[in-house]
Amino acid sequence: MKKEIDVARIEAAVKEILLALGDDPKRAGIAETPKRVAKMYQQVFEGMTYTNDELVQLFGVTFEEEGFSHNASDLVVVRDIPIFSYCEHHLALMYDMSVTIAYLPKEKVIGLSKLARIADMVGRRLQLQERIGKEIAEIVRKITASDAVCVYITGAHSCMTARGICKPGSTTTTITYEGEAFDENPELRKEFVSLIGK
């Protein structure tokens, strides 16, 4: 069952943060800020209201064509899906994120737009970039039963660019591999990366 985000509790917490910062929550410029932030959080953290298994159910529409066949080079690749997320360590924005998903079909192929929806919803959680890739790969595997899924992500983290070390322009890259085929054929990892053009 889908969880609900406690908007009233977020409003109260934001009001306390404004007080802790030494501002007046009743001041005209920020009087509505707690409500605005709560509404924003409800949207940007929507993925937290679903489990991964619920996302499998939500986006698990596949095409199972009679006579569908493939060979080892028939990869499905969806490149450069834009997403955003928030770092769980500082609640800082992860931005300019791009996700590329590649998988080796078996009997099932997933609608291409569903891959983008999965990536978007997984990002809408308190996250680590490494976990985003792992969760996307696990969901795609559960839907397609593929033996080989690769998720390539690049992104900028405001916890690095706007605070702490303050290095704007730095990016983080992660590559996640899921599936038995990678254990059976170590060269497949290299092939996946070369085929997704990274």
Side-chain angles (χ1 to χ4, degrees):
M1 178 183 290
K2 181 181 175 182
K3 297 180 291 186
E4 296 296 328
I5 289 175
D6 192 338
V7 174
R9 196 169 181 180
I10 294 171
E11 284 185 36
V14 172
K15 191 172 183 179
E16 287 300 314
I17 289 171
L18 293 173
L19 286 167
L21 291 172
D23 213 327
D24 178 6
K26 296 178 182 176
R27 180 169 63 81
I30 61 172
E32 296 299 313
T33 295
K35 286 184 180 179
R36 291 189 194 105
V37 172
K39 186 175 181 181
M40 180 186 79
Y41 277 14
Q42 191 173 32
Q43 180 180 356
V44 301
F45 293 123
E46 183 183 2
M48 297 182 75
T49 65
Y50 296 96
T51 66
N52 285 346
D53 285 337
E54 286 169 337
L55 293 181
V56 168
Q57 293 295 317
L58 193 60
F59 301 125
V61 176
T62 59
F63 303 97
E64 301 175 52
E65 299 291 341
E66 188 174 341
F68 174 78
S69 63
H70 74 283
N71 60 53
S73 62
D74 287 342
L75 276 177
V76 174
V77 181
V78 177
R79 300 177 193 273
D80 304 322
I81 303 164
I83 69 165
F84 66 87
S85 192
Y86 285 83
C87 166
E88 67 180 28
H89 296 153
H90 300 98
L91 303 185
L93 182 64
M94 294 189 276
Y95 60 98
D96 289 343
M97 298 187 82
S98 177
V99 177
T100 295
I101 303 169
Y103 75 98
L104 198 60
K106 289 178 78 174
E107 293 82 12
K108 301 176 183 179
V109 291
I110 186 173
L112 300 180
S113 68
K114 298 297 188 291
L115 292 174
R117 292 179 187 279
I118 290 165
D120 183 67
M121 197 63 78
V122 169
R124 290 174 184 265
R125 296 171 172 172
L126 290 174
Q127 278 289 20
L128 301 174
Q129 185 170 317
E130 300 89 336
R131 189 189 303 133
I132 293 173
K134 185 168 180 57
E135 291 184 347
I136 291 170
E138 288 176 352
I139 292 167
V140 172
R141 279 199 77 196
K142 284 185 177 182
I143 293 172
T144 64
S146 173
D147 290 330
V149 179
C150 180
V151 181
Y152 184 102
I153 305 176
T154 60
H157 296 231
S158 58
C159 56
M160 269 192 69
T161 62
R163 61 156 298 280
I165 196 166
C166 292
K167 296 296 180 185
S170 60
T171 59
T172 299
T173 299
T174 53
I175 306 175
T176 302
Y177 300 96
E178 286 283 336
E180 297 79 11
F182 294 117
D183 298 325
E184 296 167 3
N185 181 6
E187 288 298 309
L188 192 58
R189 291 179 180 237
K190 293 179 184 177
E191 183 181 349
F192 261 53
V193 171
S194 67
L195 288 171
I196 64 178
K198 303 296 182 182

